[in-house]
Amino acid sequence: MKNPFRWLKEKLSRSYKDIAGVGVSYNKDWALNTQSEDADLWQSAYALTARTRDLARTNPTFIRYRELIWGSVFGEAGTMLRMKVKEQEDRVIHTPQEKSAILAHDERRRRVFEWAAQKDGREYTHAPLYRGFGNNGNRVAQIKVGEPDVFANQLIERKWKEWQRAQYCDVRGTRTYSQIRQLRLWSAIRDGDFFIRMIRSPKVNKFGFALQLINAEWVDRFANAKLANGNEVRMGIEYEFTEFGTGKPVAYYFIKRQPNDWQFSVQKAFGSVGPLHDRVDARDIIHYARPVDADATRPAPWVASAIPTARQLDQYAIAEVVAARSQACKVGWLSSTVVPEGGVPTNVDPRTGVPRQELTPGSIVGLPWGVEYTESDPKHPNGNFEAFRKAQLRHQAAGMPGAAY
């Protein structure tokens, strides 16, 4: 006996072939892309970067997104360093600086404990963290192993705070470390990745260490080669050759800076590595990126999926504003269909001879003889504009990591 539900089951079930639907009507505008992440990005990287940078400069939503992402990741005051170094052995304190630091720390603890006790309405008790200071002729240890190393913690925190000043942390000497962190995050979101070169030299500052910020375009995406030692250069990054396949990064190929290069765009298909590149050891480079594909060398802009919606929504809003302004400025039109001599003169562009009209509030515009005006009044902005805009902004925000609609 045949299954009476077989026909219904066949109608309701779908295979992967049905979902993929190559050539079917509902998928005709959905082209297949069988390229790898690297191959696809290699062909489109500069166009994607140009799009996202344009939006970052001119789109108010992206500008607001930048400020929100900075605030949500780093906060208003940035991040703090709190060291928790502990003593490694029992020892006796000798230096006056360390004694003063420990006494000041213990006094702060006493005030905090006293305040907490008063707030809770209980009796105040305070046990000093450190034993009293004396001549220590008996060499009894004043610091026990496992206790916080107050002097070392304060020294590290103080020097860390000092290094974050623009004069020390930045090779240019113009950006604080807080600004550097904001720049690297936003640059990676906008361009896909970002590079930081660690400069270790006693000549750079008194700490002998500073950071150099490098935008993504300076690591040449068109530098691809198979080197004599077996290593592979892919999109400006040299990978170690191993018996297991592509290994760890060993170097980065930067386009050499030229005089006045800031006046021009940096994109040239070198095709291989050569004298136009600076090879920098990977130990000196921080590749700031968020991988999204196991085989990807360099990621696409984090907001790439939001580009079409952001662009079209921005242009739609501009068109609505222009249409609304046009209607607000228009008062009336004058025309004559009797004789040419009775026509109303128009403002003619002397260069082209084409009549032109300017939108000014309360204007009454003249038309030439024989010309009649047919009004188009679509009522801008449309009543559904705000609801449509909100829905599209939600859609756009879904493709912007960390965005809060």
Side-chain angles (χ1 to χ4, degrees):
M1 180 179 179
K2 293 184 178 180
N3 186 348
F5 298 102
R6 179 179 178 181
W7 174 84
L8 180 61
K9 182 179 180 181
E10 291 176 351
K11 290 295 182 182
L12 296 179
S13 63
R14 291 194 302 171
S15 65
Y16 287 129
K17 182 178 180 181
D18 296 323
I19 298 172
V22 179
V24 299
S25 58
Y26 54 81
N27 276 343
K28 283 187 177 179
D29 60 344
W30 191 358
L32 293 180
N33 184 359
T34 58
Q35 292 179 312
S36 67
E37 181 76 8
D38 272 0
D40 191 9
L41 183 62
W42 178 73
Q43 299 180 50
S44 310
Y46 284 110
L48 283 173
T49 301
R51 299 297 191 209
T52 54
R53 288 189 175 187
D54 180 80
L55 291 170
R57 287 190 295 262
T58 63
N59 189 297
T61 302
F62 269 69
I63 293 173
R64 179 58 178 163
Y65 170 56
R66 180 191 65 197
E67 302 300 323
L68 286 175
I69 204 73
W70 282 349
S72 62
V73 174
F74 302 111
E76 183 179 354
T79 55
M80 295 180 60
L81 174 67
R82 182 65 66 200
M83 297 301 300
K84 295 184 178 180
V85 178
K86 293 186 177 181
E87 297 289 349
Q88 300 299 308
E89 59 183 359
D90 295 349
R91 63 186 182 90
V92 176
I93 300 173
H94 295 286
T95 63
Q97 295 89 346
E98 186 170 6
K99 289 181 180 180
S100 298
I102 292 176
L103 288 173
H105 173 74
D106 203 51
E107 175 62 19
R108 286 194 297 272
R109 291 180 69 250
R110 185 195 65 77
R111 292 198 303 267
V112 171
F113 290 151
E114 184 178 5
W115 171 84
Q118 291 176 354
K119 185 178 180 181
D120 296 339
R122 52 184 172 82
E123 184 180 356
Y124 164 67
T125 57
H126 172 61
L129 182 62
Y130 299 97
R131 285 141 293 283
F133 299 108
N135 55 18
N136 295 298
N138 56 4
R139 305 295 296 173
V140 175
Q142 297 169 315
I143 300 296
K144 296 294 185 180
V145 62
E147 294 178 343
D149 192 337
V150 174
F151 186 68
N153 289 335
Q154 292 182 356
L155 179 63
I156 295 172
E157 291 170 6
R158 186 168 63 251
K159 291 300 181 181
W160 165 250
K161 185 176 181 180
E162 182 183 5
W163 178 82
Q164 291 184 82
R165 299 175 185 172
Q167 66 190 95
Y168 298 125
C169 68
D170 183 20
V171 169
R172 290 188 176 186
T174 59
R175 295 160 295 200
T176 65
Y177 188 61
S178 177
Q179 293 171 325
I180 286 177
R181 283 180 291 190
Q182 291 176 340
L183 280 173
R184 77 187 182 195
L185 174 62
W186 179 245
S187 298
I189 292 173
R190 183 193 64 187
D191 301 338
D193 54 2
F194 188 68
F195 297 87
I196 302 173
R197 185 174 184 178
M198 297 177 286
I199 307 298
R200 303 179 179 92
S201 171
K203 299 179 181 179
V204 69
N205 55 43
K206 70 176 185 180
F207 294 96
F209 182 77
L211 302 177
Q212 181 183 17
L213 307 184
I214 307 174
N215 277 337
E217 67 265 25
W218 291 103
V219 177
D220 188 10
R221 293 183 184 271
F222 291 109
N224 301 283
K226 189 72 173 178
L227 304 181
N229 61 1
N231 289 354
E232 179 185 6
V233 179
R234 182 180 295 184
M235 287 196 280
I237 304 176
E238 180 181 341
Y239 290 93
E240 180 184 21
F241 174 78
T242 70
E243 58 179 314
F244 309 107
T246 302
K248 63 183 179 180
V250 295
Y252 294 82
Y253 288 83
F254 294 88
I255 300 173
K256 284 188 176 181
R257 301 300 301 256
Q258 303 295 328
N260 300 325
D261 57 16
W262 59 273
Q263 301 178 16
F264 310 99
S265 61
V266 182
Q267 50 180 321
K268 182 176 176 60
F270 296 113
S272 184
V273 296
L276 294 176
H277 295 103
D278 283 322
R279 184 182 184 274
V280 180
D281 195 287
R283 291 173 293 184
D284 296 328
I285 298 296
I286 299 174
H287 184 190
Y288 192 78
R290 187 184 68 162
V292 295
D293 186 271
D295 290 331
T297 302
R298 300 175 61 179
W302 300 6
V303 293
S305 62
I307 292 176
T309 302
R311 165 67 177 175
Q312 300 305 326
L313 186 60
D314 188 41
Q315 294 302 300
Y316 170 54
I318 293 174
E320 286 284 6
V321 171
V322 172
R325 180 190 174 200
S326 173
Q327 291 188 341
C329 292
K330 181 186 63 180
V331 173
W333 306 84
L334 299 176
S335 62
S336 173
T337 58
V338 182
V339 292
E341 292 78 5
V344 180
T346 59
N347 185 8
V348 179
D349 190 334
R351 295 170 300 179
T352 62
V354 177
R356 63 182 181 184
Q357 306 293 348
E358 296 181 0
L359 292 176
T360 56
S363 63
I364 298 177
V365 183
L367 296 175
W369 174 76
V371 176
E372 295 183 355
Y373 172 70
T374 302
E375 184 177 10
S376 174
D377 192 10
K379 304 296 183 184
H380 291 278
N382 187 279
N384 297 324
F385 171 75
E386 186 59 25
F388 175 76
R389 178 177 173 275
K390 284 184 177 180
Q392 292 304 307
L393 279 177
R394 292 190 186 98
H395 174 76
Q396 178 181 328
M400 304 169 74
Y405 173 76

